[in-house]
Amino acid sequence: MANRMWGGVFGVAPDEILEEINASIGFDRKLYAEDIAGSKAHAAMLAKQGIISAQDARKIARGLDTILSEIKRSKFKFSRALEDIHTHVEARLKDLIGPAAGRLHTARSRNDQVATDFKLYVRNAIDATDAALAELQKALAKKAARYAATVMPGFTHLQTAQPVTFGHHLLAYVEMISRDRGRFADARKRLNESPLGAAALAGTSFPIDRYRTAKALGFDRPAANSLDAVSDRDFVLETLSAASITAVHLSRLSEEIVVWASPSFGLVKLSDRFTTGSSIMPQKRNPDAAELVRAKTGRVIGALVQFFVVMKGLPLAYSKDMQEDKESTFDALATLSLVLAAMTSMVRDLSPDVARMKAAASEGYSTATDLADHLVQKLGIPFRESHEISGKIVAKASKAGIPLEKMPLKEMQAVDPRIPKSVLSVLSVDRSVESRKSYGGTAPKNVRREAEKWLKRLGK
């Protein structure tokens, strides 16, 4: 930091270890586009307000455009001697246009500048994440429509519970992702206040127009309190919270894919594009993509926890601790982008083993609840009584080693002579799912309707 740009008060250069711990250019260079956009908006406003000349504002804008082009074309030289992206841009601007570059920092601070840059970056990341989530929803909804009537076992405690359809199961994740998108949208709405012009912490005595810069940068309004504007990192915590919940949902689906694709279950297959082999066992087909999506959840959640710890003890306003907001956030959002792309591709790729799904749905006496419900409807008995009768029939069938739908009527009537012959019509897994017509239920008609509704909403 020999070229410290605000070091008039200092008599000696900083220690090397301070330079090392202070430098952020290794990661905050990602903010170059946002930093340049904020600077252009600030310079244009300064000229409009008569704080700097129109001529200097034009020089600044042209210089910033040149820097943007240089960085995009990998022609820009980065150096650890200049600690961050803001210093790099300002130093290069001075090289390009001379003393006029020094006017750009009028009526702003690094504090409001970095907060603005990071808000712009996170806002862009939210928009990209929302688009990726919509693509995953679309992939799930398309597969749900195709397999709306494909019967599979539904599980609780990972034990066979009741038959559901594969389409219904996939639509559960469409609903989860809808909530994820809602959380990101909420975070975006709250972050969309501009810190620019709050300066270091107290505002500025220059007659700036913060509404103008807010509008130029796509913010809804300027942040109302200068202290809060520069010290707020709620938008990072909210976004990482939404990202963490999303990552958990993806991990749950990954876990199901791993389980379903195992030979012991055999419910789905992934193609060679999403499986790998073993270095020693020739027969292996490992669902590595799903396993890595599951594992990378830890990186996203870890970023949230790390930044909670950074923020928990900070007094107002800005502290250098806040530099630790970026590196892990960049990693978490990039990780989420990667796993979303991987999951969307896997969903498109996986294919259910329809016959095995149906066979598995028939195991474990999964239609016992249908038996109990039928007795309530036909005999008018309390559900708890029908539950006990059905349990005794299941125990009898299990002891005989026969499925419930193959249980002779006389054997069931031996448990309770009131059991009607009509019970034999409700014990198949197909009949079970068809009967679940209540709103939100697994009946194929419900699933098709919901899938089509989602696809229409998502633009197919």
Side-chain angles (χ1 to χ4, degrees):
M1 286 184 285
N3 295 323
R4 187 192 293 272
M5 302 186 75
W6 49 88
V9 73
F10 295 93
V12 297
D15 191 270
E16 287 184 8
I17 195 64
L18 176 58
E19 290 190 13
E20 186 65 27
I21 198 172
N22 199 45
S24 60
I25 189 59
F27 52 86
D28 72 12
R29 67 175 65 184
K30 287 180 180 290
L31 298 174
Y32 73 89
E34 290 79 10
D35 192 69
I36 290 171
S39 291
K40 289 179 71 174
H42 186 67
M45 179 276 295
L46 291 176
K48 184 72 175 178
Q49 296 298 107
I51 298 170
I52 66 173
S53 69
Q55 181 181 11
D56 281 345
R58 286 192 295 270
K59 287 181 181 179
I60 289 169
R62 286 196 297 268
L64 290 171
D65 285 340
T66 298
I67 295 168
L68 182 62
S69 175
E70 288 176 347
I71 296 176
K72 285 182 175 179
R73 292 184 292 113
S74 301
K75 301 295 184 181
F76 189 91
K77 184 178 179 180
F78 291 97
S79 169
R80 287 181 67 81
L82 300 173
E83 65 185 72
D84 55 32
I85 186 62
H86 325 293
T87 310
H88 275 76
V89 170
E90 191 170 342
R92 178 58 178 150
L93 186 63
K94 184 177 180 181
D95 291 341
L96 290 170
I97 68 171
R103 301 189 185 281
L104 175 58
H105 209 56
T106 306
R108 76 173 182 183
S109 162
R110 280 288 182 267
N111 296 353
D112 62 332
Q113 184 180 0
V114 69
T116 302
D117 292 359
F118 203 25
K119 276 196 171 185
L120 291 172
Y121 184 93
V122 171
R123 190 178 71 187
N124 290 338
I126 287 175
D127 291 344
T129 300
D130 182 71
L133 287 167
E135 284 302 306
L136 177 54
Q137 282 184 299
K138 195 181 301 184
L140 288 162
K142 283 183 177 179
K143 192 135 289 187
R146 182 176 178 183
Y147 296 103
T150 298
V151 181
M152 68 172 288
F155 300 97
T156 61
H157 308 275
L158 204 55
Q159 305 294 312
T160 301
Q162 291 178 269
V164 296
T165 69
F166 187 47
H168 191 58
H169 198 112
L170 295 177
L171 286 179
Y173 285 97
V174 176
E175 295 291 336
M176 290 186 204
I177 295 165
S178 177
R179 295 193 296 274
D180 292 330
R181 293 180 69 189
R183 277 182 281 270
F184 278 112
D186 287 345
R188 190 192 194 283
K189 182 178 180 180
R190 271 185 289 276
L191 76 74
N192 213 33
E193 295 183 346
S194 174
L196 193 57
L201 75 163
T204 178
S205 59
F206 289 96
I208 61 173
D209 184 348
R210 294 188 62 211
Y211 285 90
R212 183 183 183 87
T213 50
K215 183 178 180 181
L217 294 170
F219 289 108
D220 294 331
R221 64 192 69 84
N225 182 285
S226 60
L227 282 165
D228 180 54
V230 298
S231 63
D232 165 43
R233 293 299 184 272
D234 289 359
F235 67 95
V236 182
L237 292 170
E238 277 200 77
T239 301
L240 289 177
S241 295
S244 295
I245 296 171
T246 300
V248 167
H249 290 157
L250 298 178
S251 183
R252 294 181 72 182
L253 180 52
S254 296
E255 171 69 7
E256 296 203 301
I257 291 173
V258 170
V259 170
W260 292 344
S262 67
S264 300
F265 278 74
L267 301 181
V268 301
K269 294 179 181 177
L270 287 168
S271 76
D272 294 350
R273 297 173 62 242
F274 290 95
T275 55
T276 63
S278 164
S279 64
I280 189 172
M281 295 167 283
Q283 84 284 4
K284 292 290 294 298
R285 298 177 64 85
N286 300 323
D288 282 11
E291 291 172 355
L292 287 167
V293 169
R294 185 176 59 186
K296 287 181 183 294
T297 299
R299 295 176 70 151
V300 181
I301 296 172
L304 172 63
V305 174
Q306 177 260 337
F307 196 51
F308 265 126
V309 174
V310 168
M311 292 300 295
K312 68 175 181 61
L314 297 188
L316 297 181
Y318 180 83
S319 296
K320 192 68 172 183
D321 309 52
M322 292 183 188
Q323 181 169 292
E324 290 298 307
D325 60 359
K326 296 172 194 65
E327 192 169 12
S328 57
T329 300
F330 292 155
D331 180 77
L333 295 176
T335 297
L336 185 61
S337 176
L338 176 61
V339 297
L340 277 170
M343 182 56 74
T344 301
S345 296
M346 269 192 293
V347 168
R348 290 170 179 155
D349 180 81
L350 69 82
S351 57
D353 186 329
V354 175
R356 173 60 191 141
M357 278 190 168
K358 187 170 184 178
S362 300
E363 297 168 358
Y365 302 97
S366 64
T367 57
T369 304
D370 297 88
L371 170 60
D373 288 346
H374 191 72
L375 296 182
V376 170
Q377 293 166 0
K378 294 298 182 180
L379 302 181
I381 61 177
F383 180 78
R384 285 304 173 198
E385 184 180 347
S386 72
H387 185 284
E388 183 176 356
I389 294 168
S390 300
K392 289 178 179 179
I393 294 171
V394 167
K396 198 170 186 180
S398 178
K399 187 175 182 180
I402 58 175
L404 197 57
E405 64 268 26
K406 297 292 180 64
M407 188 73 167
L409 178 62
K410 64 179 182 179
E411 294 294 329
M412 288 191 274
Q413 290 176 333
V415 175
D416 192 305
R418 296 173 295 173
I419 294 176
K421 185 178 181 180
S422 59
V423 76
L424 299 176
S425 68
V426 303
L427 299 180
S428 73
V429 292
D430 288 317
R431 178 67 181 81
S432 177
V433 297
E434 287 170 4
S435 70
R436 307 293 168 180
K437 297 176 182 178
S438 59
Y439 181 75
T442 192
K445 285 185 179 180
N446 287 9
V447 175
R448 290 190 188 95
R449 182 176 62 249
E450 287 300 308
E452 287 302 320
K453 184 168 70 176
W454 272 113
L455 289 170
K456 184 177 180 181
R457 189 183 306 175
L458 295 164
K460 293 197 177 184

